[in-house]
Amino acid sequence: MKSLKEKHEVIEFNMTDEREYTVTLIKPSQGIYDDVMKYSKEDIKKMDETSLNNYKKLLEGQKMKEKEAQHEGLKRFLEEKRNEQIDNGNKTEMLLKDVFDELVIKYDYQHIEIIEDDEGKEHGYIYDFLVEIGNKKYDVEVDGSSHDGKEEQDKERDELSKKIGIYPRRFSTQMVYAIYNEVSKGIFKKSSLTDMMQGRFCSINDMMHTAR
């Protein structure tokens, strides 16, 4: 984490979860504000309406450059973190990955999503799996012990995801192992898992009962 922050000097990140990175501050590089800062407060007071409008446009342009730099910095950071997580691997995620492959369910593993909240702050997320079923998208998360005590953070993330049409589905480690075993035995079919992700079953036990 530290090395990545040092590498991307332009951006300051707040890591609220191992899958969430929120931009809290941008440190503008020299040049972003050069044109704007050459005007003093006295200069601005003396401007006529045309000059003042041009100044405002210039200021808006600089703000846009700042936002773009912020977005690109966060995107680069997430891409490196994503690659790092793929290299390190996760046994439970690999089991669910095998399940999706076996059942021919399309997914994007370690999917990056950047979402803007109501205050204009960008939140960067790395989803375990982005799965598309029909015309709906689902963020399928494997929630191990690292999520204990982070219910509020997960809730905020889930709400932001739903705002852009991505619906969260959280599987415990035990659920993933149970699903993997049932698929290995040929009991679970594709429809069983897709029905669960679409909310047609209340629990893994309901899904197992129906599948059997």
Side-chain angles (χ1 to χ4, degrees):
M1 176 68 183
K2 185 179 178 183
S3 62
L4 287 171
K5 284 181 69 174
E6 289 173 349
K7 185 172 182 180
H8 300 284
E9 295 177 353
V10 176
I11 304 294
E12 180 67 27
F13 291 100
N14 175 34
M15 186 173 77
T16 57
D17 185 272
E18 75 257 21
R19 291 287 196 273
E20 178 180 349
Y21 309 89
T22 304
V23 174
T24 55
L25 175 68
I26 182 167
K27 300 174 182 176
S29 59
Q30 190 64 35
I32 283 187
Y33 282 126
D34 281 353
D35 290 337
V36 173
M37 295 306 292
K38 70 183 180 183
Y39 295 103
S40 67
K41 290 182 179 179
E42 291 303 316
D43 290 331
I44 296 170
K45 286 179 182 179
K46 293 175 183 177
M47 287 180 179
D48 57 27
E49 187 175 348
T50 300
S51 298
L52 186 58
N53 286 336
N54 288 337
Y55 172 75
K56 288 178 180 178
K57 288 179 182 178
L58 180 62
L59 187 60
E60 286 301 315
Q62 299 304 329
K63 287 181 180 179
M64 185 63 69
K65 287 181 183 179
E66 177 182 315
K67 189 171 183 178
E68 289 172 356
Q70 187 183 63
H71 179 85
E72 289 304 314
L74 176 57
K75 185 179 176 182
R76 289 195 303 272
F77 178 87
L78 290 170
E79 286 171 348
E80 291 193 39
K81 193 65 183 173
R82 174 185 187 268
N83 292 336
E84 190 178 89
Q85 288 174 178
I86 289 174
D87 289 342
N88 291 336
N90 177 294
K91 184 178 179 180
T92 313
E93 289 175 8
M94 292 301 103
L95 289 179
L96 189 54
K97 193 170 182 287
D98 288 344
V99 166
F100 287 151
D101 288 338
E102 177 68 24
L103 299 180
V104 195
I105 294 174
K106 292 184 179 180
Y107 61 87
D108 182 20
Y109 179 55
Q110 297 291 293
H111 173 82
I112 290 172
E113 198 70 50
I114 298 176
I115 307 173
E116 190 174 294
D117 64 21
D118 292 337
E119 297 177 355
K121 183 184 292 185
E122 288 191 322
H123 299 256
Y125 299 116
I126 302 176
Y127 296 154
D128 289 344
F129 299 90
L130 181 71
V131 178
E132 190 166 350
I133 303 172
N135 60 351
K136 285 191 176 182
K137 294 180 180 179
Y138 298 90
D139 165 25
V140 180
E141 293 296 308
V142 178
D143 284 359
S145 58
S146 62
H147 284 262
D148 293 346
K150 296 179 179 178
E151 290 79 10
E152 285 302 312
Q153 292 172 9
D154 286 342
K155 183 179 178 181
E156 180 182 356
R157 166 188 165 131
D158 290 350
E159 289 303 314
L160 281 173
S161 295
K162 284 189 281 188
K163 282 180 67 175
I164 63 167
I166 298 176
Y167 299 91
R169 295 291 182 264
R170 295 184 174 275
F171 291 177
S172 67
T173 300
Q174 292 79 3
M175 284 176 65
V176 173
Y177 275 91
I179 291 168
Y180 179 81
N181 288 333
E182 296 299 298
V183 170
S184 299
K185 295 173 186 176
I187 297 172
F188 262 16
K189 304 300 180 183
K190 181 176 181 178
S191 59
S192 301
L193 191 54
T194 56
D195 280 352
M196 185 177 185
M197 283 192 284
Q198 293 177 90
R200 293 174 185 163
F201 295 114
C202 296
S203 69
I204 184 70
N205 289 331
D206 289 341
M207 183 169 68
M208 286 181 175
H209 178 74
T210 302
R212 288 176 183 274

